[in-house]
Amino acid sequence: MYRDGAAAKIVLNRPARMNAWSNGLSADLLAVLCEVADDDGVRAVMITGAGRAFCAGADLKESAGDALEGKLDTYQVLTQWYHPIVTTIRQMPKPVVTAVNGPAAGAGLSLALAGDLVAAAESAYFTLAFAGIGLVPDGGASLFVPSRVGFARAAEMAMLGEAVPAAKAADWGLINFAWPDAEFAERSGQLLRRLADGPTLSYAGSKRELNHWLYHRMQEHLEFEASTQRDLATSADFAEGVSAFLHKRPARFTGK
Ligand code: T3D
């Protein structure tokens, strides 16, 4: 985490795995989010990624052993880490900008959309990659995506899993801004500084209102997502999806 006055910048820093969520990254991220949430001296927060990705979702290599044997306890991972992380972002009384420097996939997309304002580099893209490994959207994605783009586009993203480029994402209303790569660092930094120097109580009030309207049943929905994912995690298609990812080959799903 980097501090510049009232602005805090959090960098996901596992570039060799495209900043995938390992348990270690989750623990560090939750700790730093709680720290900035509780610190009145921090008035705006940015989350971005190191290297060429924002975040590629769950670390499929870390969990591969259990996943291939149908023993991965996704419910535990979601409730211990992902839910507190997205909930802390949504509830902290200050704006959170997610600065999406590169691909945001699976739970990485959930993390990006948990922010209040989402800015992306033009080369970045967004994919609900879950179906590609036989899973369902989690980490709030099945709430955040339709609340931003509606049912048709949410179903398309969930079921087809194709990458939505940043410019199209901005056009759809999935995100706020798509900026040229060469300007991305400067413009996202300017946005963070503007928010850090702004009317914090007003921002917090806007956030409470939007949460109240759109996300007042978020905890119940996260629980529903986690229960659904628990069922999928024991499926043959999930094991096949992970195996295909690890071996860099197309998956051969059987619908089981
Ligand atoms: O409890 C639970 O764990 C379940 C919860 C699940 C929540 C989820 O997020 S499920 C969705 C998980 N994420 C994915 O399925 C996305 C997997 N990644 C990709 O599809 C691709 O990597 C990307 C489309 C994001 C980017 O593609 P590309 O071609 O630019 O990069 P690459 O070559 O695929 O990846 C670069 C490296 O990062 C590569 O490692 P290597 O071969 O150079 O050693 C790749 O294996 C690694 N990497 C990418 N994503 C992940 C990852 N390693 C671990 N986990 C990843 N998710």
Side-chain angles (χ1 to χ4, degrees), residues 3-52:
R3 275 291 291 274
D4 179 10
K9 180 176 167 185
I10 297 168
V11 181
L12 309 172
N13 193 14
R14 302 184 73 228
R17 292 202 183 175
M18 302 191 82
N19 305 319
W21 288 36
S22 59
N23 283 333
L25 181 139
S26 297
D28 290 347
L29 179 57
L30 181 57
V32 75
L33 285 169
C34 290
E35 185 184 330
V36 296
D38 290 344
D39 184 344
D40 289 342
V42 173
R43 294 165 54 198
V45 177
M46 174 190 284
I47 304 171
T48 193
R52 71 182 180 90

Short mmCIF file of all heavy atoms in Angstrom, two decimals, residues 3-52:
data_model
loop_
_atom_site.label_atom_id
_atom_site.label_comp_id
_atom_site.label_asym_id
_atom_site.label_seq_id
_atom_site.Cartn_x
_atom_site.Cartn_y
_atom_site.Cartn_z
N ARG A 3 0.87 5.47 0.38
CA ARG A 3 0.10 6.63 0.83
C ARG A 3 0.64 7.90 0.21
O ARG A 3 1.85 8.11 0.14
CB ARG A 3 0.21 6.76 2.36
CG ARG A 3 -0.75 5.95 3.17
CD ARG A 3 -2.20 6.37 3.08
NE ARG A 3 -2.50 7.65 3.69
CZ ARG A 3 -2.78 7.82 4.98
NH1 ARG A 3 -2.81 6.78 5.79
NH2 ARG A 3 -3.05 9.02 5.46
N ASP A 4 -0.25 8.74 -0.25
CA ASP A 4 0.11 10.08 -0.69
C ASP A 4 -0.93 11.00 -0.07
O ASP A 4 -2.02 11.19 -0.63
CB ASP A 4 0.11 10.15 -2.23
CG ASP A 4 0.45 11.55 -2.73
OD1 ASP A 4 0.87 12.39 -1.90
OD2 ASP A 4 0.29 11.80 -3.94
N GLY A 5 -0.63 11.53 1.10
CA GLY A 5 -1.62 12.32 1.82
C GLY A 5 -2.82 11.48 2.16
O GLY A 5 -2.70 10.41 2.79
N ALA A 6 -4.00 11.94 1.73
CA ALA A 6 -5.24 11.23 2.06
C ALA A 6 -5.57 10.13 1.06
O ALA A 6 -6.61 9.47 1.16
CB ALA A 6 -6.40 12.22 2.13
N ALA A 7 -4.69 9.93 0.07
CA ALA A 7 -4.93 8.90 -0.95
C ALA A 7 -4.13 7.64 -0.63
O ALA A 7 -2.96 7.72 -0.26
CB ALA A 7 -4.52 9.43 -2.33
N ALA A 8 -4.77 6.49 -0.77
CA ALA A 8 -4.08 5.20 -0.57
C ALA A 8 -4.20 4.37 -1.83
O ALA A 8 -5.28 4.27 -2.43
CB ALA A 8 -4.71 4.45 0.61
N LYS A 9 -3.07 3.81 -2.25
CA LYS A 9 -3.06 2.97 -3.45
C LYS A 9 -2.63 1.56 -3.06
O LYS A 9 -1.55 1.38 -2.48
CB LYS A 9 -2.08 3.58 -4.45
CG LYS A 9 -1.93 2.83 -5.76
CD LYS A 9 -1.01 3.63 -6.67
CE LYS A 9 -0.55 2.83 -7.87
NZ LYS A 9 0.42 3.58 -8.67
N ILE A 10 -3.48 0.60 -3.36
CA ILE A 10 -3.20 -0.81 -3.05
C ILE A 10 -2.86 -1.51 -4.36
O ILE A 10 -3.63 -1.44 -5.32
CB ILE A 10 -4.43 -1.47 -2.40
CG1 ILE A 10 -4.77 -0.79 -1.06
CG2 ILE A 10 -4.21 -2.96 -2.22
CD1 ILE A 10 -6.13 -1.19 -0.50
N VAL A 11 -1.72 -2.19 -4.39
CA VAL A 11 -1.29 -2.86 -5.62
C VAL A 11 -1.31 -4.38 -5.41
O VAL A 11 -0.62 -4.90 -4.51
CB VAL A 11 0.13 -2.40 -6.05
CG1 VAL A 11 0.54 -3.10 -7.34
CG2 VAL A 11 0.18 -0.89 -6.22
N LEU A 12 -2.10 -5.08 -6.20
CA LEU A 12 -2.09 -6.55 -6.18
C LEU A 12 -0.77 -6.97 -6.82
O LEU A 12 -0.46 -6.56 -7.94
CB LEU A 12 -3.27 -7.10 -6.99
CG LEU A 12 -4.66 -6.53 -6.63
CD1 LEU A 12 -5.70 -7.01 -7.64
CD2 LEU A 12 -5.04 -6.90 -5.22
N ASN A 13 0.01 -7.77 -6.11
CA ASN A 13 1.39 -7.92 -6.57
C ASN A 13 1.83 -9.39 -6.66
O ASN A 13 2.68 -9.84 -5.89
CB ASN A 13 2.32 -7.13 -5.63
CG ASN A 13 3.71 -6.98 -6.21
OD1 ASN A 13 3.93 -7.23 -7.40
ND2 ASN A 13 4.66 -6.58 -5.37
N ARG A 14 1.22 -10.11 -7.62
CA ARG A 14 1.67 -11.47 -7.95
C ARG A 14 1.71 -11.57 -9.48
O ARG A 14 0.98 -12.38 -10.09
CB ARG A 14 0.71 -12.54 -7.39
CG ARG A 14 0.52 -12.49 -5.88
CD ARG A 14 -0.37 -13.63 -5.40
NE ARG A 14 0.31 -14.89 -5.45
CZ ARG A 14 -0.20 -16.01 -5.98
NH1 ARG A 14 -1.41 -16.01 -6.53
NH2 ARG A 14 0.49 -17.13 -5.98
N PRO A 15 2.51 -10.74 -10.11
CA PRO A 15 2.42 -10.61 -11.58
C PRO A 15 2.68 -11.91 -12.33
O PRO A 15 2.11 -12.10 -13.41
CB PRO A 15 3.46 -9.53 -11.91
CG PRO A 15 4.33 -9.40 -10.71
CD PRO A 15 3.51 -9.82 -9.54
N ALA A 16 3.49 -12.83 -11.79
CA ALA A 16 3.78 -14.07 -12.52
C ALA A 16 2.52 -14.91 -12.68
O ALA A 16 2.42 -15.72 -13.62
CB ALA A 16 4.86 -14.87 -11.80
N ARG A 17 1.54 -14.73 -11.78
CA ARG A 17 0.25 -15.45 -11.89
C ARG A 17 -0.88 -14.47 -12.17
O ARG A 17 -2.03 -14.69 -11.77
CB ARG A 17 -0.01 -16.27 -10.63
CG ARG A 17 0.97 -17.41 -10.50
CD ARG A 17 0.46 -18.52 -9.63
NE ARG A 17 1.48 -19.56 -9.49
CZ ARG A 17 1.39 -20.62 -8.73
NH1 ARG A 17 0.30 -20.79 -7.99
NH2 ARG A 17 2.35 -21.51 -8.67
N MET A 18 -0.55 -13.39 -12.82
CA MET A 18 -1.55 -12.38 -13.19
C MET A 18 -2.37 -11.94 -11.97
O MET A 18 -3.57 -11.72 -12.06
CB MET A 18 -2.45 -12.91 -14.32
CG MET A 18 -1.63 -13.31 -15.55
SD MET A 18 -2.62 -13.65 -17.01
CE MET A 18 -2.89 -12.02 -17.65
N ASN A 19 -1.67 -11.83 -10.83
CA ASN A 19 -2.28 -11.36 -9.58
C ASN A 19 -3.49 -12.20 -9.16
O ASN A 19 -4.46 -11.67 -8.58
CB ASN A 19 -2.66 -9.87 -9.68
CG ASN A 19 -1.48 -9.02 -10.07
OD1 ASN A 19 -0.37 -9.24 -9.56
ND2 ASN A 19 -1.64 -8.08 -10.98
N ALA A 20 -3.43 -13.50 -9.47
CA ALA A 20 -4.51 -14.40 -9.05
C ALA A 20 -4.61 -14.43 -7.52
O ALA A 20 -3.61 -14.30 -6.82
CB ALA A 20 -4.26 -15.80 -9.59
N TRP A 21 -5.84 -14.66 -7.04
CA TRP A 21 -6.12 -14.65 -5.60
C TRP A 21 -5.64 -15.96 -4.97
O TRP A 21 -6.37 -16.96 -5.00
CB TRP A 21 -7.61 -14.57 -5.32
CG TRP A 21 -8.30 -13.28 -5.60
CD1 TRP A 21 -8.04 -12.42 -6.61
CD2 TRP A 21 -9.40 -12.73 -4.86
NE1 TRP A 21 -8.91 -11.37 -6.55
CE2 TRP A 21 -9.75 -11.53 -5.50
CE3 TRP A 21 -10.11 -13.15 -3.74
CZ2 TRP A 21 -10.80 -10.73 -5.04
CZ3 TRP A 21 -11.15 -12.36 -3.29
CH2 TRP A 21 -11.49 -11.16 -3.92
N SER A 22 -4.47 -15.95 -4.40
CA SER A 22 -4.06 -17.05 -3.52
C SER A 22 -4.62 -16.74 -2.14
O SER A 22 -5.08 -15.62 -1.88
CB SER A 22 -2.53 -17.09 -3.45
OG SER A 22 -2.06 -15.85 -2.95
N ASN A 23 -4.52 -17.71 -1.22
CA ASN A 23 -4.95 -17.41 0.15
C ASN A 23 -4.10 -16.30 0.74
O ASN A 23 -4.60 -15.45 1.50
CB ASN A 23 -4.87 -18.67 1.02
CG ASN A 23 -6.04 -19.61 0.74
OD1 ASN A 23 -7.11 -19.17 0.32
ND2 ASN A 23 -5.82 -20.90 0.93
N GLY A 24 -2.80 -16.29 0.40
CA GLY A 24 -1.92 -15.24 0.92
C GLY A 24 -2.32 -13.87 0.42
O GLY A 24 -2.38 -12.91 1.20
N LEU A 25 -2.60 -13.77 -0.87
CA LEU A 25 -3.03 -12.46 -1.42
C LEU A 25 -4.33 -12.02 -0.76
O LEU A 25 -4.51 -10.86 -0.41
CB LEU A 25 -3.20 -12.52 -2.94
CG LEU A 25 -3.61 -11.20 -3.60
CD1 LEU A 25 -2.84 -10.96 -4.91
CD2 LEU A 25 -5.10 -11.12 -3.87
N SER A 26 -5.24 -12.98 -0.58
CA SER A 26 -6.54 -12.64 0.04
C SER A 26 -6.33 -12.09 1.45
O SER A 26 -6.95 -11.09 1.84
CB SER A 26 -7.44 -13.87 0.11
OG SER A 26 -7.74 -14.34 -1.18
N ALA A 27 -5.46 -12.77 2.24
CA ALA A 27 -5.23 -12.33 3.63
C ALA A 27 -4.61 -10.93 3.64
O ALA A 27 -5.04 -10.06 4.41
CB ALA A 27 -4.33 -13.33 4.35
N ASP A 28 -3.62 -10.71 2.77
CA ASP A 28 -2.97 -9.40 2.72
C ASP A 28 -3.95 -8.31 2.28
O ASP A 28 -3.97 -7.22 2.82
CB ASP A 28 -1.78 -9.42 1.74
CG ASP A 28 -0.63 -10.27 2.25
OD1 ASP A 28 -0.64 -10.63 3.44
OD2 ASP A 28 0.27 -10.58 1.44
N LEU A 29 -4.75 -8.64 1.26
CA LEU A 29 -5.68 -7.65 0.73
C LEU A 29 -6.74 -7.28 1.77
O LEU A 29 -7.05 -6.10 1.98
CB LEU A 29 -6.34 -8.19 -0.55
CG LEU A 29 -7.36 -7.29 -1.24
CD1 LEU A 29 -6.76 -5.94 -1.61
CD2 LEU A 29 -7.93 -7.98 -2.49
N LEU A 30 -7.27 -8.30 2.45
CA LEU A 30 -8.28 -8.01 3.47
C LEU A 30 -7.69 -7.15 4.59
O LEU A 30 -8.31 -6.18 5.04
CB LEU A 30 -8.85 -9.32 4.04
CG LEU A 30 -9.95 -9.15 5.09
CD1 LEU A 30 -11.12 -8.32 4.56
CD2 LEU A 30 -10.43 -10.51 5.58
N ALA A 31 -6.46 -7.48 5.01
CA ALA A 31 -5.84 -6.72 6.09
C ALA A 31 -5.65 -5.26 5.69
O ALA A 31 -5.97 -4.34 6.47
CB ALA A 31 -4.50 -7.35 6.48
N VAL A 32 -5.16 -5.02 4.49
CA VAL A 32 -4.90 -3.63 4.10
C VAL A 32 -6.20 -2.88 3.84
O VAL A 32 -6.31 -1.68 4.11
CB VAL A 32 -3.91 -3.58 2.89
CG1 VAL A 32 -4.56 -3.98 1.59
CG2 VAL A 32 -3.31 -2.18 2.75
N LEU A 33 -7.23 -3.58 3.35
CA LEU A 33 -8.53 -2.92 3.16
C LEU A 33 -9.13 -2.50 4.50
O LEU A 33 -9.67 -1.39 4.63
CB LEU A 33 -9.49 -3.84 2.41
CG LEU A 33 -9.24 -3.99 0.91
CD1 LEU A 33 -10.07 -5.12 0.33
CD2 LEU A 33 -9.55 -2.68 0.17
N CYS A 34 -9.01 -3.38 5.50
CA CYS A 34 -9.53 -3.03 6.83
C CYS A 34 -8.75 -1.83 7.39
O CYS A 34 -9.33 -0.93 8.01
CB CYS A 34 -9.43 -4.22 7.78
SG CYS A 34 -10.59 -5.54 7.36
N GLU A 35 -7.45 -1.82 7.14
CA GLU A 35 -6.61 -0.72 7.63
C GLU A 35 -7.05 0.61 7.02
O GLU A 35 -7.26 1.59 7.74
CB GLU A 35 -5.15 -1.02 7.27
CG GLU A 35 -4.14 -0.03 7.80
CD GLU A 35 -2.73 -0.37 7.28
OE1 GLU A 35 -2.43 -1.56 7.04
OE2 GLU A 35 -1.95 0.59 7.10
N VAL A 36 -7.21 0.66 5.70
CA VAL A 36 -7.58 1.94 5.08
C VAL A 36 -9.03 2.31 5.39
O VAL A 36 -9.36 3.49 5.50
CB VAL A 36 -7.33 1.95 3.54
CG1 VAL A 36 -5.85 1.80 3.24
CG2 VAL A 36 -8.16 0.91 2.80
N ALA A 37 -9.88 1.29 5.56
CA ALA A 37 -11.28 1.58 5.90
C ALA A 37 -11.37 2.27 7.25
O ALA A 37 -12.16 3.20 7.45
CB ALA A 37 -12.10 0.29 5.90
N ASP A 38 -10.53 1.82 8.21
CA ASP A 38 -10.61 2.34 9.58
C ASP A 38 -9.84 3.63 9.78
O ASP A 38 -9.95 4.26 10.82
CB ASP A 38 -10.06 1.28 10.57
CG ASP A 38 -10.98 0.08 10.67
OD1 ASP A 38 -12.15 0.19 10.24
OD2 ASP A 38 -10.53 -0.97 11.15
N ASP A 39 -9.00 4.00 8.82
CA ASP A 39 -8.12 5.15 8.98
C ASP A 39 -8.82 6.41 8.43
O ASP A 39 -8.97 6.58 7.21
CB ASP A 39 -6.81 4.88 8.22
CG ASP A 39 -5.79 5.99 8.41
OD1 ASP A 39 -6.17 7.09 8.85
OD2 ASP A 39 -4.61 5.75 8.10
N ASP A 40 -9.22 7.30 9.34
CA ASP A 40 -9.92 8.51 8.90
C ASP A 40 -9.03 9.41 8.06
O ASP A 40 -9.53 10.28 7.33
CB ASP A 40 -10.42 9.31 10.12
CG ASP A 40 -11.56 8.60 10.81
OD1 ASP A 40 -12.19 7.72 10.18
OD2 ASP A 40 -11.83 8.92 11.99
N GLY A 41 -7.72 9.23 8.18
CA GLY A 41 -6.80 10.03 7.37
C GLY A 41 -6.80 9.61 5.90
O GLY A 41 -6.35 10.37 5.04
N VAL A 42 -7.30 8.42 5.63
CA VAL A 42 -7.43 7.96 4.23
C VAL A 42 -8.81 8.34 3.74
O VAL A 42 -9.82 7.93 4.31
CB VAL A 42 -7.22 6.44 4.12
CG1 VAL A 42 -7.52 5.96 2.69
CG2 VAL A 42 -5.81 6.05 4.51
N ARG A 43 -8.87 9.13 2.66
CA ARG A 43 -10.17 9.62 2.18
C ARG A 43 -10.54 9.08 0.81
O ARG A 43 -11.65 9.32 0.32
CB ARG A 43 -10.18 11.15 2.20
CG ARG A 43 -10.08 11.70 3.63
CD ARG A 43 -9.73 13.17 3.67
NE ARG A 43 -10.62 13.98 2.89
CZ ARG A 43 -10.34 15.22 2.47
NH1 ARG A 43 -9.18 15.76 2.77
NH2 ARG A 43 -11.22 15.89 1.74
N ALA A 44 -9.62 8.39 0.16
CA ALA A 44 -9.94 7.71 -1.11
C ALA A 44 -8.92 6.60 -1.32
O ALA A 44 -7.75 6.71 -0.91
CB ALA A 44 -9.90 8.68 -2.28
N VAL A 45 -9.38 5.52 -1.95
CA VAL A 45 -8.57 4.30 -2.09
C VAL A 45 -8.57 3.87 -3.55
O VAL A 45 -9.61 3.95 -4.22
CB VAL A 45 -9.16 3.17 -1.21
CG1 VAL A 45 -8.38 1.87 -1.39
CG2 VAL A 45 -9.18 3.59 0.26
N MET A 46 -7.42 3.42 -4.01
CA MET A 46 -7.35 2.83 -5.35
C MET A 46 -6.81 1.40 -5.23
O MET A 46 -5.90 1.14 -4.43
CB MET A 46 -6.41 3.63 -6.26
CG MET A 46 -6.18 2.98 -7.61
SD MET A 46 -4.87 3.80 -8.52
CE MET A 46 -5.74 5.24 -9.04
N ILE A 47 -7.38 0.50 -6.03
CA ILE A 47 -6.85 -0.87 -6.12
C ILE A 47 -6.45 -1.07 -7.58
O ILE A 47 -7.24 -0.82 -8.50
CB ILE A 47 -7.90 -1.92 -5.73
CG1 ILE A 47 -8.43 -1.66 -4.31
CG2 ILE A 47 -7.31 -3.33 -5.81
CD1 ILE A 47 -9.63 -2.53 -3.92
N THR A 48 -5.22 -1.51 -7.79
CA THR A 48 -4.75 -1.77 -9.14
C THR A 48 -3.83 -3.00 -9.12
O THR A 48 -3.61 -3.59 -8.06
CB THR A 48 -4.03 -0.52 -9.73
OG1 THR A 48 -3.86 -0.69 -11.13
CG2 THR A 48 -2.69 -0.27 -9.05
N GLY A 49 -3.34 -3.42 -10.30
CA GLY A 49 -2.53 -4.63 -10.37
C GLY A 49 -1.12 -4.34 -10.83
O GLY A 49 -0.89 -3.41 -11.61
N ALA A 50 -0.17 -5.14 -10.36
CA ALA A 50 1.21 -5.04 -10.84
C ALA A 50 1.35 -5.86 -12.12
O ALA A 50 0.68 -6.88 -12.28
CB ALA A 50 2.16 -5.57 -9.77
N GLY A 51 2.21 -5.40 -13.03
CA GLY A 51 2.45 -6.17 -14.25
C GLY A 51 1.35 -5.96 -15.26
O GLY A 51 0.70 -4.92 -15.29
N ARG A 52 1.10 -6.99 -16.08
CA ARG A 52 0.19 -6.79 -17.23
C ARG A 52 -1.26 -7.13 -16.94
O ARG A 52 -2.11 -6.99 -17.81
CB ARG A 52 0.69 -7.58 -18.44
CG ARG A 52 0.57 -9.08 -18.35
CD ARG A 52 1.14 -9.72 -19.60
NE ARG A 52 1.05 -11.17 -19.57
CZ ARG A 52 0.01 -11.87 -20.03
NH1 ARG A 52 -1.01 -11.23 -20.56
NH2 ARG A 52 0.02 -13.19 -19.98
#
